[in-house]
Amino acid sequence: MAETIFTKIINREIPADIIFEDDDVLAFNDISPQAPTHFLVIPKKPIATINDIQPQDAELIGKMYLAAATLAKQKGFSESGYRAVMNCNPDGGQTVYHIHLHVLAGKPMGWPPYQDRMKQELP
């Protein structure tokens, strides 16, 4: 897999506002937040897309979600709610090919995610 911006963050080659780290995952605030709280949880093991996750990665993926839940509790929004989502490939909105879990909170989330835009586009 080619080196990505996330690999450079893991290797401390570029700065990030890191909010959690253990041996397997890293979490940092998103540089272009889409909600009042928006951070990313990434595995330190490079996996390009959800399609590339292997059975042996199941525990690692679980650790990503556990980190998200721990941070949600620490930051005080676990009870009010949040969205945790991964994008996959271009039509799914993926722009960095190193899987990452977006955690968004601090405002009510609609469904579908782009419902307001979809209403505007309908005839």
Side-chain angles (χ1 to χ4, degrees):
M1 187 174 109
E3 187 174 66
T4 68
I5 189 170
F6 294 163
T7 309
K8 291 178 181 182
I9 290 170
I10 292 164
N11 294 333
R12 304 302 200 271
E13 295 171 17
I14 59 173
D17 184 11
I18 296 170
I19 57 174
F20 176 86
E21 182 174 17
D22 67 15
D23 291 340
D24 301 305
V25 302
L26 184 74
F28 52 92
N29 289 313
D30 194 293
I31 61 169
S32 181
Q34 302 300 305
T37 298
H38 184 179
F39 59 86
L40 304 177
V41 181
I42 65 171
K44 289 184 176 179
K45 174 184 177 182
I47 302 170
T49 74
I50 294 171
N51 297 333
D52 299 306
I53 296 170
Q54 299 298 309
Q56 62 268 25
D57 298 321
E59 184 177 350
L60 177 59
I61 303 309
K63 287 180 178 183
M64 292 172 64
Y65 280 89
L66 287 170
T70 297
L71 287 165
K73 188 170 186 174
Q74 288 175 357
K75 292 179 172 289
F77 59 82
S78 63
E79 294 303 314
S80 60
Y82 57 100
R83 179 167 289 157
V85 63
M86 282 191 205
N87 301 327
C88 185
N89 285 325
D91 283 356
Q94 187 175 9
T95 57
V96 178
Y97 287 85
H98 182 130
I99 62 168
H100 49 287
L101 182 63
H102 291 265
V103 180
L104 303 109
K107 69 176 189 174
M109 304 283 169
W111 195 262
Y114 300 109
Q115 65 184 354
D116 294 332
R117 189 175 78 192
M118 287 173 51
K119 288 178 187 175
Q120 293 171 357
E121 293 173 357
L122 294 174

